[in-house]
Amino acid sequence: MLPRPLGYHLMAHPAPATDIDMKPGTPRILASFYGLDSMDNAIRKADVLIEALSYIRRFRDRITVIKLGGSAMEDAGTLRATLQDVVFMETVGMRPVLVHGGGKPIDRAMAAAGLKPRKVQGRRYTDNETLAIVVRVLKELNTEIEAQIRELGGRAVGLSTGSLQSLFGERLLLQDEAGKALDLGRVGRVTRVDHALLSDFCAGGVVPVLPSLALDSDQGWLNINADTAAAAVAANLRAEKLVILTDTPGILLNRAEPGSLVRGLDAAGCRDLMARGIIDEGMIPKVEACLESLAAGVRQTHIIDGRLRHSLLLEIYTDYGVGTEIK
């Protein structure tokens, strides 16, 4: 993907020019069969394929870790479009790995059980009762995503059982501003990734689908933030890319103005925007996940709008992309 300097904002792709209707040698039977508008559309589609060709070659056999969450999972049509993108990526030789959370479905399941979510420094406090709901919901989502990929013609495996578990961790310990330990319950961080298992599936053309759960040393489940789980997987696999799907176009200088999208940033630029309070709240862990991945050897990271149909393909296989690239 071409470099994206700070402040280089989203722009629409110019429509490729065509002079088919002005060429005297154009076979009339073709113009008659397709119609000029249809022929123009066909040529534009061919131009898109040619534009994608260099990226298909560049990223062949390279691993891309995709964090799936938010509206990209809530809306059935959006989820299907996203998984179509994943199947396309695998078909043309890229090696996608999916890591998913389940925040909103978990909230609904907790409400149905009469439980109220509680957050500690932005993380879901997870007691044993909450953990049981988290594990159940994430496993159900994992099975659904795997099944949809198969329905779309891809090959996938859900890594949500003990025998196929690939994330391992320990309980996350945080402190408040006074240095006092905070109780997060069964919230954890990833300490080990089964690199060999994931690599073998990727090499075989199978898409690994991982819920944001880890096993601790006692074989108990830990609830992991999906952004940090995806970052750990990307870092361990030395992925070409980490792509985080979210509910905004990317990093915005003004959240009320989509046109303020920042298309390219480096680590220093990210830290500056965080210090100025432009990157705040839920965007902070996503940006931190990107920076951790880059420090561990991931080449490029992207934050894109999961609500936009086929945003994955637009970001990876076109010259301008649609979100914020951090590298």
Side-chain angles (χ1 to χ4, degrees):
M1 186 167 292
L2 299 179
R4 303 176 181 180
L6 177 63
Y8 187 72
H9 300 309
L10 178 67
M11 62 173 62
H13 288 276
T18 175
D19 58 351
I20 183 172
D21 54 335
M22 292 185 286
K23 289 184 178 179
T26 300
R28 290 188 178 182
I29 189 172
L30 288 179
S32 175
F33 180 78
Y34 289 106
L36 294 179
D37 288 342
S38 297
M39 179 66 81
D40 183 64
N41 288 335
I43 291 172
R44 291 187 185 191
K45 290 178 181 178
D47 286 339
V48 170
L49 291 174
I50 294 301
E51 181 180 329
L53 179 60
S54 63
Y55 297 106
I56 291 173
R57 286 176 171 167
R58 185 185 307 176
F59 301 136
R60 183 179 296 154
D61 294 324
R62 304 290 181 88
I63 291 175
T64 289
V65 176
I66 302 157
K67 184 265 179 170
L68 185 61
S71 295
M73 292 181 64
E74 282 290 287
D75 179 77
T78 302
L79 176 59
R80 185 174 181 83
T82 300
L83 297 181
Q84 283 177 328
D85 291 358
V86 172
V87 172
F88 178 94
M89 293 165 65
E90 192 281 321
T91 301
V92 298
M94 211 170 191
R95 304 302 181 214
V97 177
L98 280 181
V99 179
H100 69 86
K104 292 179 181 178
I106 291 171
D107 286 343
R108 290 194 293 269
M110 290 184 65
L115 300 177
K116 185 176 180 180
R118 172 187 162 199
K119 294 294 181 71
V120 178
Q121 290 192 0
R123 293 171 171 84
R124 185 189 302 273
Y125 176 79
T126 308
D127 57 17
N128 289 335
E129 195 172 6
T130 300
L131 180 64
I133 292 175
V134 168
V135 171
R136 174 175 59 80
V137 171
L138 289 179
K139 286 189 174 185
E140 290 171 354
L141 291 171
N142 191 262
T143 300
E144 292 173 8
I145 293 169
E146 176 190 357
Q148 283 206 46
I149 292 175
R150 292 176 181 272
E151 289 172 6
L152 291 167
R155 301 169 66 205
V157 58
L159 304 183
S160 60
T161 63
S163 60
L164 287 177
Q165 182 63 21
S166 57
L167 299 183
F168 303 87
E170 62 185 13
R171 289 180 65 163
L172 180 63
L173 302 177
L174 296 178
Q175 296 180 339
D176 62 16
E177 295 179 356
K180 182 180 178 181
L182 295 173
D183 179 19
L184 299 174
R186 298 291 298 175
V187 174
R189 68 180 189 91
V190 176
T191 57
R192 182 169 70 87
V193 177
D194 192 333
H195 181 287
L197 180 66
L198 296 178
S199 296
D200 285 349
F201 280 125
C202 288
V206 179
V207 179
V209 184
L210 289 71
S212 52
L213 293 168
L215 286 176
D216 65 12
S217 57
D218 296 322
Q219 298 300 296
W221 289 112
L222 294 170
N223 183 18
I224 310 291
N225 175 277
D227 294 321
T228 58
V233 172
N236 183 272
L237 296 178
R238 293 295 177 93
E240 177 74 19
K241 293 176 179 289
L242 167 64
V243 183
I244 295 178
L245 300 179
T246 185
D247 287 347
T248 69
I251 295 175
L252 302 174
L253 295 177
N254 180 355
R255 279 191 287 181
E257 180 50 61
S260 67
L261 175 70
V262 180
R263 304 200 61 246
L265 280 171
D266 57 14
C270 289
R271 295 190 183 96
D272 175 64
L273 293 181
M274 283 192 281
R276 291 160 55 191
I278 294 173
I279 295 175
D280 62 358
E281 297 180 356
M283 187 59 72
I284 290 178
K286 301 181 191 308
V287 172
E288 288 179 340
C290 290
L291 296 180
E292 290 171 9
S293 299
L294 292 169
V298 176
R299 293 175 61 87
Q300 295 172 312
T301 64
H302 308 257
I303 299 175
I304 66 175
D305 194 341
R307 302 167 300 178
L308 177 65
R309 283 172 56 84
H310 303 304
S311 56
L312 272 173
L313 297 187
L314 292 170
E315 180 70 10
I316 294 173
Y317 294 110
T318 65
D319 290 340
Y320 291 103
V322 293
T324 299
E325 179 182 346
I326 304 174
K327 67 177 183 179

